[in-house]
């Protein structure tokens, strides 16, 4: 009925992530307004959530505000509050200035602060309690990402009836790096509360298993970790890779729209109709190798292996984590580089680099993908990298060249890309020239193979595979419509 409480242990499927799939827009009480934030995870999980009476537990994106649970587009939303201090210590601090750099192979130095760890524990406990308060007896709870690594253990302690999954969206580092973490035992123990721990790459799962052996001495056999329980029983935890993907059909559909194609042509005209449009699309993050690709491109112009009439670089760098100092520094460095390169090489009507520090609607992204002859994904470390897959999915015309860093999860699957080591600037320059001059037949051959892979393993397949592993085939409804 209308008055039935939304916070009751009635949901058979609960997703827990730092951010909710909705953004708070404004208003108070009954007037509170929300809008969907269309991320890949939402697309992946929406059908499963609807088919299984699902609830989504997470933070609404504003500090110091409490919201009652509500329904949005057929999904029950359970907001978890965060104070401004917690946001600073748990989110910007421990999650984004300790774990993020550590898990990305210390590209930037991680900061270790005991107060940040304390906030991380406190906030993880709050998320675990919120999930426990809405999960039905025997429910499936799927916890997402590095901000919430302690939640699986906390949930298992309070609710041993639950089936608990965890998916790590970012890399899991080699033990030599991971072992720097002062709370390395607690984090591994937190994760081992899950029944299934998912990673992007086989190498990540391997690194995790090694950490378990080194820190706890537990036996591992293939993808199984044998966790001794207090009652003397051994619990089998699965730790393996489940490479995430995108809604490939949705990207193709977008790219096929006449207005998107017209927009792609317009973008090329506005760039001075060069022969080669190179594109980078990233959150402005030091893991993405934006400086490396700009350095390589600048040297190609300097050496006159390329000219601005011939080639131009468009870099979308969407604003990210702007209150964390490392990100402010990175922004300054990139903007200095863009200014220098444009000052040195642009001519009127022929920009060397078009730098855009904005987020764009998805439709505009599809037009950019279509407009780009060469997609540059030069991450120094990246769990998967969805941009690479989105570019491929958009290219229904079997054209365009993907240049892809070996240090992305995507490179395990997208073998027909031009694979590069972004630290090797000479190699990167050669690869950029090769990509720009690749014959059409060769482009088509590679793109067809890439597209086949992305279509076969799309995001619906990813979530279905994870949930099947978690529950045993058939126990929860896949929620995928159609054949
Ligand atoms: C983490 C892991 C892993 C970016 N700018 C705009 C925009 N985007 C969209 C892209 C893409 C997504 O954001 C970025 O995903 P990535 O995978 O490239 O990278 P992270 O944000 O670092 O994501 C990563 C991922 O989690 C999933 O597990 O692959 O390794 O680091 O979808 O298109 N979208 C729009 N406007 C923008 O300006 N609309």
């Amino acid at each position: 009925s209308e008055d039935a409480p939304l916070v009751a242990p009635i949901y058979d499927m609960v997703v827990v992530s730092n951010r909710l799939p909705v953004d708070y827009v404004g208003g108070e009480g009954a007037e509170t307004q929300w809008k969907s934030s269309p991320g890949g995870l939402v697309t992946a999980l929406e059908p499963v959530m609807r088919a299984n009476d699902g609830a989504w537990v997470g933070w609404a994106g504003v500090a110091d505000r409490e919201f009652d649970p509500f329904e949005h587009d057929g999904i029950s939303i359970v907001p978890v509050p965060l104070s401004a201090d917690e946001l600073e210590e748990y989110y910007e601090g421990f999650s984004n200035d300790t774990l993020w750099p550590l898990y990305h192979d210390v590209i930037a130095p991680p900061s270790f602060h005991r107060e940040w760890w304390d906030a991380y524990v406190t906030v993880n406990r709050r998320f675990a309690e919120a999930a426990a308060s809405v999960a039905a007896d025997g429910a499936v709870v799927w916890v997402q990402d590095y901000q919430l690594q302690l939640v699986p253990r906390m949930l298992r302690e309070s609710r041993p009836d639950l089936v608990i999954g965890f998916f790590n969206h970012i890399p899991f580092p080699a033990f030599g790096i991971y072992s720097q973490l002062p709370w390395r035992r607690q984090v591994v123990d937190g994760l081992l509360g899950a029944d299934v721990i998912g990673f992007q790459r086989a190498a990540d799962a391997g690194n995790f298993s090694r950490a378990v052996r080194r820190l706890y001495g537990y036996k591992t056999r293939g993808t199984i970790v044998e966790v001794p329980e207090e009652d003397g029983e051994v619990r089998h935890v699965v730790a393996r890779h489940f490479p995430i993907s995108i809604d490939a059909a949705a990207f193709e559909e977008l790219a096929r729209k006449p207005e998107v194609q017209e927009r792609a042509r317009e973008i090329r005209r506005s760039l001075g109709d060069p022969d080669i449009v190179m594109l980078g699309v990233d959150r402005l993050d030091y893991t993405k190798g934006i400086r490396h690709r700009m350095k390589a491109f600048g040297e190609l112009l300097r050496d006159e292996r390329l000219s601005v009439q011939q080639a131009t670089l468009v870099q979308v760098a969407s604003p990210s984590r702007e209150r964390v100092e490392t990100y402010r520094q990175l922004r300054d460095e990139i903007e200095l580089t863009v200014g220098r390169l444009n000052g040195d090489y642009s001519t009127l009507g022929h920009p060397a680099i078009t730098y855009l520090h904005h987020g764009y609607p998805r439709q505009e992204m599809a037009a950019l993908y279509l407009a780009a002859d060469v997609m540059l994904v030069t991450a120094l470390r990246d769990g998967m990298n969805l941009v690479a897959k989105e570019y491929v999915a958009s290219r229904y015309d079997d054209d365009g060249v993907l240049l892809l860093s070996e240090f992305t999860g995507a490179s395990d699957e997208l073998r027909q890309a031009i694979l590069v080591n972004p630290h090797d600037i000479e190699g990167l320059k050669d690869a950029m020239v090769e990509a720009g001059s690749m014959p059409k037949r060769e482009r088509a051959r590679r793109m067809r193979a890439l597209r086949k892979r992305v279509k076969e393993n799309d995001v619906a397949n990813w979530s279905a595979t994870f949930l099947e592993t978690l529950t045993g085939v058939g126990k929860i409804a896949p929620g995928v419509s159609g054949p």
Side-chain angles (χ1 to χ4, degrees):
S1 86
E2 295 250 310
D3 306 323
L6 280 162
V7 185
I10 54 173
Y11 298 99
D12 292 328
M13 164 96 200
V14 178
V15 169
V16 191
S17 64
N18 175 63
R19 279 301 303 274
L20 285 167
V22 293
D23 289 329
Y24 172 71
V25 181
E28 302 292 319
E31 309 289 290
T32 311
Q33 285 174 31
W34 300 90
K35 90 174 184 329
S36 306
S37 54
L41 198 57
V42 194
T43 323
L45 298 180
E46 229 167 32
V48 197
M49 296 290 267
R50 280 191 229 286
N52 292 285
D53 196 8
W56 199 308
V57 174
W59 176 56
V62 273
D64 290 322
R65 286 288 307 264
E66 298 218 13
F67 301 103
D68 290 332
F70 60 96
E71 286 269 324
H72 185 87
D73 277 354
I75 297 177
S76 299
I77 301 286
V78 183
V80 177
L82 290 181
S83 71
D85 284 346
E86 285 166 347
L87 193 61
E88 205 176 308
E89 299 188 331
Y90 144 79
Y91 182 67
E92 287 159 357
F94 200 77
S95 297
N96 288 336
D97 207 12
T98 306
L99 293 173
W100 180 270
L102 184 74
Y103 281 30
H104 288 87
D105 287 356
V106 299
I107 296 168
S111 309
F112 300 115
H113 295 298
R114 285 162 282 185
E115 316 81 69
W116 291 1
W117 165 253
D118 294 341
Y120 187 77
V121 176
T122 304
V123 171
N124 271 247
R125 191 164 301 287
R126 188 174 310 141
F127 275 79
E129 281 165 6
S133 72
V134 296
D137 189 49
V140 169
V141 180
W142 192 1
V143 182
Q144 306 290 328
D145 227 356
Y146 63 101
Q147 302 92 350
L148 301 173
Q149 294 174 100
L150 307 179
V151 170
R153 171 65 65 196
M154 291 168 170
L155 271 176
R156 179 164 299 279
E157 273 165 10
S158 65
R159 291 288 305 274
D161 60 294
L162 299 176
V163 178
I164 304 167
F166 179 90
F167 186 77
N168 192 51
H169 290 255
I170 67 174
F172 195 90
F175 189 67
I177 289 174
Y178 179 74
S179 57
Q180 289 181 18
L181 185 67
W183 308 278
R184 59 198 185 186
R185 281 177 62 87
Q186 291 95 314
V187 168
V188 162
D189 183 56
L191 291 169
L192 286 174
D195 295 289
V196 176
I197 309 168
F199 297 92
Q200 301 279 28
R201 312 177 88 157
D204 299 318
N207 287 341
F208 174 74
S209 295
R210 210 161 301 121
V212 170
R213 290 194 298 273
R214 295 289 298 271
L215 293 169
Y216 283 94
Y218 297 164
K219 280 205 187 105
T220 62
R221 284 182 291 113
T223 60
I224 304 291
V225 183
E226 301 185 350
V227 181
E229 296 289 275
E230 273 166 14
D231 57 9
E233 296 284 301
V234 170
R235 194 165 56 85
H236 285 182
V237 173
V238 175
R240 55 158 277 202
H241 65 296
F242 300 87
I244 202 170
S245 193
I246 58 162
D247 186 346
F251 266 94
E252 171 161 351
E253 198 182 307
L254 211 50
R256 282 184 183 276
K257 286 187 176 181
E259 63 268 33
V260 172
Q261 292 171 32
E262 178 47 36
R263 176 65 189 141
R265 285 189 290 272
E266 195 177 293
I267 289 170
R268 292 190 70 102
R269 276 198 302 276
S270 72
L271 293 168
D273 270 323
D275 302 330
I276 310 163
V277 174
M278 301 202 182
L279 174 68
V281 172
D282 312 81
R283 276 186 309 97
L284 183 46
D285 196 295
Y286 51 81
T287 59
K288 302 293 183 182
I290 301 171
R291 283 172 298 189
H292 294 63
R293 87 182 65 132
M294 286 185 174
K295 187 175 178 63
F297 186 66
E299 288 189 15
L300 288 172
L301 294 175
R302 183 198 66 195
D303 303 346
E304 297 181 2
R305 290 176 73 186
L306 291 177
S307 71
V308 289
Q309 283 74 26
Q310 213 184 356
T312 192
L313 171 61
V314 177
Q315 177 64 54
V316 176
S318 39
S320 187
R321 305 179 188 169
E322 293 184 287
R323 289 167 20 144
V324 180
E325 182 53 32
T326 332
Y327 287 78
R328 293 188 187 165
Q329 274 175 26
L330 174 74
R331 183 176 172 193
D332 286 346
E333 286 169 31
I334 286 178
E335 294 182 355
L336 182 70
T337 305
V338 170
R340 287 238 169 104
L341 289 177
N342 278 338
D344 285 344
Y345 302 111
S346 295
T347 61
L348 290 171
H350 295 288
I353 303 187
T354 304
Y355 165 78
L356 305 156
H357 186 244
H358 311 291
Y360 286 97
R362 213 177 253 243
Q363 178 143 332
E364 180 75 354
M365 305 292 279
L368 280 162
Y369 291 144
L370 277 185
D373 303 294
V374 180
M375 185 76 216
L376 301 175
V377 178
T378 57
L380 308 176
R381 202 28 110 195
D382 213 333
M384 177 54 60
N385 195 287
L386 297 180
V387 166
K389 292 188 171 182
E390 290 167 2
Y391 179 66
V392 167
S394 306
R395 300 310 301 245
Y396 67 89
D397 57 351
D398 289 340
D399 207 350
V401 180
L402 174 64
L403 193 150
L404 180 62
S405 162
E406 292 164 20
F407 300 103
T408 62
S411 71
D412 280 1
E413 294 175 87
L414 304 182
R415 305 304 297 175
Q416 293 80 10
I418 297 188
L419 296 176
V420 293
N421 168 7
H423 297 283
D424 170 12
I425 299 294
E426 284 307 320
L428 186 52
K429 286 159 67 181
D430 291 345
M432 286 164 82
V433 169
E434 184 194 344
S437 57
M438 188 181 283
K440 186 160 173 42
R441 274 175 62 98
E442 175 74 359
R443 301 201 297 263
R445 188 185 64 76
R446 288 181 186 244
M447 187 53 80
R448 272 196 297 272
L450 292 169
R451 290 178 58 71
K452 182 159 177 285
R453 175 68 207 186
V454 173
K455 284 181 176 184
E456 276 167 7
N457 182 35
D458 70 357
V459 75
N461 187 65
W462 169 77
S463 58
T465 309
F466 186 93
L467 290 170
E468 273 164 22
T469 310
L470 189 55
T471 61
V473 183
K475 278 197 200 141
I476 77 164
V480 182
S481 54

